[in-house]
Amino acid sequence: MDRPRIRIFDTTLRDGEQSPGCSMNVQEKLRLAQQLDRLGVDVIEAGFPFASDGDFEAVQRIAASVRRPIIAGLARACTPDIDRAWQALKVAAHPRIHVFLATSDIHLKYKLRITREQCLAQAREAVRYAKSLCADIQFSPEDATRTDVPFLWQVLEAVIAAGATTVNIPDTVGYSMPEEYGQLIRTLREKVAGIEKVTISTHCHNDLGLAVANSLAGVQNGARQVECTINGIGERAGNASLEEIAMAMRVRPDRYAYEHGIASEQLYSSSQMLAEITGVPVQPNKAITGRNAFAHEAGIHQDGVLKNPLTYEIMTPQSVGVPDSRLVLGKHSGRHALGLRCQQLGHDFERRELDEVYRRFVVLADRIKRVQDSHLLELIHDVNHGKIAAQKFPPAAAVPVGFARAASANAGTHASAAAGAHESHAMTIPASASPIPGAISFAEHHTEQEDYLWGV
Ligand SMILES: [Zn+2]
């Protein structure tokens, strides 16, 4: 009942926006911030006000209009940055200044060209100054995971004494391993004077694909805030993905007995909104929010999911806002799945009619890899009118795999609702390596029993 609560700090609008191709204008940032509010994040890092007038305006407008969450603005450890951040943030209901300064020797020597002593003094002074303006101060020792650990303790003790209320431990370069990152958080809790008065935060990059694992290791060792982004966007390989962090805790409370405030049914629409705003599509196999995250193509999987979703699904699509799982119709699909999709498209076939639809479907699937609702509707139409469907379709190389709005509108079902959201990201699939359609006879490969033997 009294499980520790993890604060979700979303930095899609700051770190995320720094990723190539992901810049957003003020209106877009405002729209996304409103969605992040609906999603239930605790902190929105709205931007880096000193960086540009656009960033300043975005932070200010978000601070003025999004009132529930804490609104954070980033600032380097210097007076002009902190002043600019405060100017943008002071209208917020819950403002936070986020001050950062690199602490690793490599950053001190080559980037900042200051000594450790200068770094320590600058961090302390910056936090003290920020605290004179705003009660809620977060400090980040940039490149913390490559910082000499006793020096990191010293810096953290200094900024806590100067008034920091959250200390964030960035794995700026995505270099840490989960045990190592967890151990670092544990050591800080044990060694840093005053750490029990502040919140420890994680900020992990995904250069080795470990951002989520590292963040969770941090939480298990005492971190109570996780910095993350929608779709995991961010510098280089990105940040820890918000949706993965949130659902790991929801799906495995036996391992991660923590609470958080994310309204998980808003995850899919948040992901889609970001993709739509930036024009950067979500990778199809992205956990939680990718197009294929709840798709089952293999016949045996489809059959299992139709009988009981728990056979192949560890969470329901509805729980993350995908209306339902989408059974992908490809050449490995069985009659059962095809019949159901036809029903959802408004066509309830008798067994013999369905056999005919299935026969033509298999010939088509051999050519175009993935059969969309729009294709299926044409095929059904042709079967109903006795035409040879397969001849109508273009060669595989040119077949778009975007989803058709017409099919979505007709169906009103799970598949189409989810598909509709993807249609702006249509793309073309490569030519199928399949041999000439029909070279292997239907009877040889598509008896009903075979439906359940493929794709295990
Ligand atoms: Zn970062």
Side-chain angles (χ1 to χ4, degrees):
M1 276 284 119
D2 51 351
R3 294 188 293 184
R5 191 172 193 285
I6 306 302
R7 271 191 170 167
I8 302 295
F9 178 117
D10 180 276
T11 185
T12 305
L13 294 170
R14 202 279 299 165
D15 206 324
E17 207 225 358
Q18 290 174 217
S19 26
C22 287
S23 60
M24 297 170 236
N25 65 32
V26 174
Q27 272 309 326
E28 291 166 340
K29 286 184 182 178
L30 192 58
R31 213 176 120 214
L32 194 61
Q34 285 157 351
Q35 177 60 27
L36 292 171
D37 186 14
R38 284 191 286 276
L39 180 61
V41 306
D42 299 284
V43 186
I44 295 175
E45 185 162 56
F48 188 171
F50 193 84
S52 71
D53 290 345
D55 247 33
F56 179 90
E57 190 190 343
V59 174
Q60 195 174 44
R61 290 186 57 188
I62 290 166
S65 62
V66 182
R67 309 300 288 175
R68 180 196 56 81
I70 294 169
I71 306 297
L74 190 68
R76 288 171 298 183
C78 59
T79 312
D81 270 45
I82 294 168
D83 283 337
R84 191 82 172 136
W86 181 240
Q87 284 304 312
L89 289 167
K90 63 183 181 186
V91 295
H94 310 287
R96 171 181 293 185
I97 301 177
H98 178 190
V99 178
F100 77 102
L101 181 64
T103 49
S104 64
D105 286 335
I106 189 167
H107 278 234
L108 295 188
K109 184 172 175 192
Y110 294 102
K111 190 180 84 174
L112 301 175
R113 299 183 186 182
I114 57 175
T115 64
R116 285 189 183 181
E117 290 66 35
Q118 289 170 313
C119 170
L120 187 61
Q122 189 179 336
R124 181 189 292 121
E125 287 314 306
V127 169
R128 190 174 290 155
Y129 180 62
K131 188 73 175 184
S132 73
L133 304 170
C134 179
D136 186 347
I137 302 298
Q138 173 167 321
F139 179 80
S140 291
E142 188 188 1
D143 204 18
T145 51
R146 292 192 303 172
T147 298
D148 174 60
V149 177
F151 181 61
L152 185 60
W153 303 342
Q154 266 189 292
V155 173
L156 295 177
E157 284 178 6
V159 298
I160 292 168
T165 41
T166 299
V167 292
N168 181 43
I169 309 301
D171 185 26
T172 304
V173 291
Y175 178 72
S176 262
M177 293 288 137
E179 311 76 34
E180 190 183 17
Y181 189 77
Q183 181 61 47
L184 176 62
I185 301 293
R186 182 191 298 250
T187 307
L188 297 176
R189 277 181 67 208
E190 288 167 359
K191 301 285 188 182
V192 174
I195 196 102
E196 69 287 349
K197 296 184 294 192
V198 304
T199 302
I200 303 175
S201 172
T202 67
H203 179 104
C204 297
H205 277 271
N206 206 33
D207 298 70
L208 292 173
L210 294 168
V212 169
N214 284 341
S215 305
L216 292 172
V219 166
Q220 281 185 308
N221 285 282
R224 291 294 175 263
Q225 174 179 287
V226 175
E227 300 201 0
C228 44
T229 60
I230 302 294
N231 296 339
I233 68 167
E235 285 279 8
R236 306 181 312 280
N239 288 69
S241 144
L242 184 151
E243 50 278 3
E244 295 172 26
I245 298 277
M247 292 314 291
M249 292 186 204
R250 288 272 159 82
V251 172
R252 296 303 305 271
D254 54 326
R255 290 275 165 176
Y256 299 100
Y258 308 98
E259 297 289 349
H260 60 69
I262 294 299
S264 61
E265 66 283 359
Q266 292 287 333
L267 287 169
Y268 187 74
S269 49
S270 304
S271 165
Q272 288 296 307
M273 183 187 286
L274 177 65
E276 181 236 313
I277 286 174
T278 59
V280 177
V282 184
Q283 76 186 61
N285 60 328
K286 170 76 178 64
I288 318 295
T289 53
R291 187 177 65 217
N292 292 344
F294 294 95
H296 306 276
E297 176 167 344
I300 191 165
H301 289 214
Q302 294 185 333
D303 187 57
V305 165
L306 292 171
K307 286 172 177 156
N308 183 344
L310 292 177
T311 51
Y312 287 100
E313 286 180 356
I314 59 168
M315 60 195 135
T316 65
Q318 293 92 329
S319 70
V320 299
V322 177
D324 200 346
S325 56
R326 288 176 292 127
L327 301 183
V328 174
L329 294 176
K331 66 178 179 180
H332 302 149
S333 301
R335 275 189 196 77
H336 187 188
L338 179 69
L340 183 74
R341 181 63 60 88
C342 289
Q343 271 179 12
Q344 290 164 342
L345 294 172
H347 297 271
D348 204 353
F349 289 111
E350 302 269 287
R351 175 62 201 241
R352 217 154 8 121
E353 292 170 321
L354 184 61
D355 280 349
E356 176 61 12
V357 174
Y358 188 54
R359 192 184 66 76
R360 296 183 186 216
F361 162 78
V362 167
V363 173
L364 176 63
D366 243 0
R367 294 182 61 180
I368 67 169
K369 203 167 177 177
R370 177 178 287 190
V371 179
Q372 308 294 344
D373 287 348
S374 55
H375 302 142
L376 195 55
L377 281 166
E378 273 201 70
L379 190 148
I380 290 167
H381 179 267
D382 288 345
V383 168
N384 285 339
H385 292 82
K387 293 180 192 161
I388 309 298
Q391 289 174 0
K392 290 186 54 182
F393 291 88
V399 175
V401 295
F403 298 79
R405 186 177 288 281
S408 309
N410 283 345
T413 62
H414 61 249
S416 53
H422 281 288
E423 65 196 352
S424 59
H425 301 303
M427 54 188 184
T428 302
I429 56 171
S432 165
S434 303
I436 310 148
I440 298 167
S441 82
F442 170 76
E444 278 166 9
H445 265 235
H446 294 280
T447 63
E448 184 148 65
Q449 266 193 335
E450 290 273 343
D451 291 348
Y452 305 117
L453 298 177
W454 292 13
V456 181

